Amino acid sequence: MDRWQAMRIFVQVVESGGFAPAAKVLHMSPPSVTRAVVQLEGLIGTRLLIRTTRSLKMTAAGEGYLADCRRILAEIAEAEANAAGSFTAPAGLLTITAPVLFGRIHVLPVILDFLDGYPAMQVKTVFVDRVTNLVDEGLDVAIRIASLPASGLVARRIGSVRQVLCGSPDYFARFGEPGSPHELAGHRIIGREGLFGHSEWLFGRDSSIRIPISPRLICNTNDAVLSAAVAGWGLSRFQSYQVAADIRAGRLKVALADYEREPVPIHIVHAEGRMVSARVRAFVDFAAGRFVHAEGRMVSARVRAFVDFAAGRFLRHAGLSTEL
């Protein structure tokens, strides 16, 4: 049995959610796909998948083996591409993830320009408001707005965003502007589930001022919170990039700027070493001469072209300088 091919089939079965869908992707017959996985399980000496008539689930051993297979297959693909000298021609798929609103407002314009400059490249966006696992989810690059913990990933800081309290000029004309966080108790508050929560807000560079809040309106999306604030109903907190256009247009005004917390850093994050797709490395090496800036040690050759291209664009994009 071809061990490499069996591992590839196993990964495709998991990613496709079944033997028949995987067979279609691999241009094989379903019995051949099933037989390859069974033989692989026999060779390893343990079950990787639990099959029923309606579902397919991985065993604990299968979950660990899946991660190892993905790593090994990526290393094989990189070795083959390196031997073939394919790193001079950027082509293939680059998968980029970012928070939903930040992705739409700031990352997507960068990607569009990137695609115009590199017509052989293809980009898939995964804009979600959650922390993604680059390796497990098959992602190449992540834009993260957070102070990042130590990890096996490479992170390059490209800027920062402020957490700002905003209201419309009409709201402030009707209800007045708070002079300190403690005055928020007398104001209408618009809360949001998730990102900032709705039990208390922190203020001050060291987040030492804790203000309990009791929103009368709690929304589950940023767009809804923003619409309510622009409509003049109440006050809410935002990442500064979310309200930059409304502030410039005069639809919103920042309050309590002297009490803001420390800005939150923005990073471009990617995997290091041979975990990175050879296609990304090809793009990086081709574009490095145009977009890489000398900043400390060189970033991994596999993703640096997009990292540096995006970093420059983020800092030049409308409304985005060193602080978003």
Side-chain angles (χ1 to χ4, degrees):
M1 179 180 63
D2 185 330
R3 180 84 66 93
W4 175 85
Q5 177 66 0
M7 293 168 66
R8 178 169 169 259
I9 291 171
F10 167 66
V11 171
Q12 190 61 60
V13 168
V14 174
E15 293 180 347
S16 300
F19 293 95
K24 186 175 181 180
V25 172
L26 296 169
H27 303 289
M28 298 173 62
S29 68
S32 296
V33 170
T34 302
R35 184 164 54 250
V37 173
V38 170
Q39 290 175 348
L40 183 62
E41 290 177 323
L43 183 64
I44 297 171
T46 187
R47 293 189 67 181
L48 301 173
L49 300 171
I50 300 174
R51 313 157 183 74
T52 69
T53 56
R54 295 186 178 181
S55 67
L56 184 72
K57 296 182 180 179
M58 282 188 292
T59 63
E63 291 179 354
Y65 190 65
L66 176 66
D68 289 337
C69 284
R70 283 173 168 159
R71 173 180 54 80
I72 292 168
L73 293 174
E75 291 178 357
I76 291 173
E78 180 184 10
E80 291 176 344
N82 191 24
S86 63
F87 292 109
T88 58
L93 177 66
L94 185 69
T95 306
I96 301 169
T97 184
V100 174
L101 192 56
F102 190 82
R104 177 172 61 81
I105 295 175
H106 298 306
V107 180
L108 187 58
V110 174
I111 291 172
L112 298 181
D113 287 347
F114 168 73
L115 290 173
D116 284 342
Y118 300 92
M121 292 295 299
Q122 179 185 14
V123 170
K124 176 183 177 182
T125 64
V126 181
F127 294 161
V128 291
D129 288 328
R130 61 177 176 84
V131 177
T132 53
N133 186 304
L134 269 66
V135 176
D136 289 349
E137 299 184 48
L139 305 170
D140 297 304
V141 177
I143 313 300
R144 291 187 174 161
I145 305 174
S147 297
L148 301 178
S151 71
L153 302 175
V154 175
R156 175 173 176 178
R157 181 167 175 161
I158 59 171
S160 61
V161 297
R162 297 156 51 210
Q163 292 183 359
V164 294
L165 179 73
C166 289
S168 72
D170 179 63
Y171 176 88
F172 291 130
R174 293 167 58 202
F175 300 102
E177 184 174 338
S180 76
H182 298 284
E183 295 180 15
L184 290 175
H187 285 267
R188 294 179 172 184
I189 301 299
I190 306 166
R192 189 216 151 165
E193 290 182 340
L195 187 60
F196 295 119
H198 52 264
S199 61
E200 68 176 9
W201 283 344
L202 305 181
F203 291 88
R205 297 301 266 193
D206 59 357
S207 301
S208 60
I209 304 174
R210 310 176 75 93
I211 304 298
I213 61 168
S214 181
R216 290 183 57 203
L217 175 62
I218 300 171
C219 303
N220 68 330
T221 67
N222 284 322
D223 288 340
V225 175
L226 183 58
S227 295
V230 170
W233 190 87
L235 306 178
S236 195
R237 294 185 86 174
F238 302 92
Q239 304 270 22
S240 52
Y241 73 85
Q242 297 169 339
V243 292
D246 292 295
I247 291 172
R248 287 194 298 269
R251 292 185 291 267
L252 288 176
K253 178 183 176 182
V254 175
L256 300 181
D258 292 340
Y259 294 89
E260 289 178 8
R261 301 172 66 189
E262 188 73 22
V264 181
I266 304 173
H267 295 92
I268 298 182
V269 180
H270 60 87
E272 178 63 285
R274 289 180 292 177
M275 295 290 287
V276 180
S277 164
R279 292 187 295 272
V280 178
R281 183 174 183 176
F283 162 67
V284 167
D285 289 343
F286 178 83
R290 295 179 59 184
F291 299 115
V292 172
H293 306 290
E295 184 175 337
R297 70 178 182 84
M298 295 298 289
V299 175
S300 167
R302 294 157 180 77
V303 193
R304 68 187 179 195
F306 178 78
V307 168
D308 288 306
F309 179 84
R313 279 298 317 279
F314 284 138
L315 299 182
R316 293 193 300 271
H317 195 267
L320 303 178
S321 55
T322 57
E323 237 179 39
L324 307 184

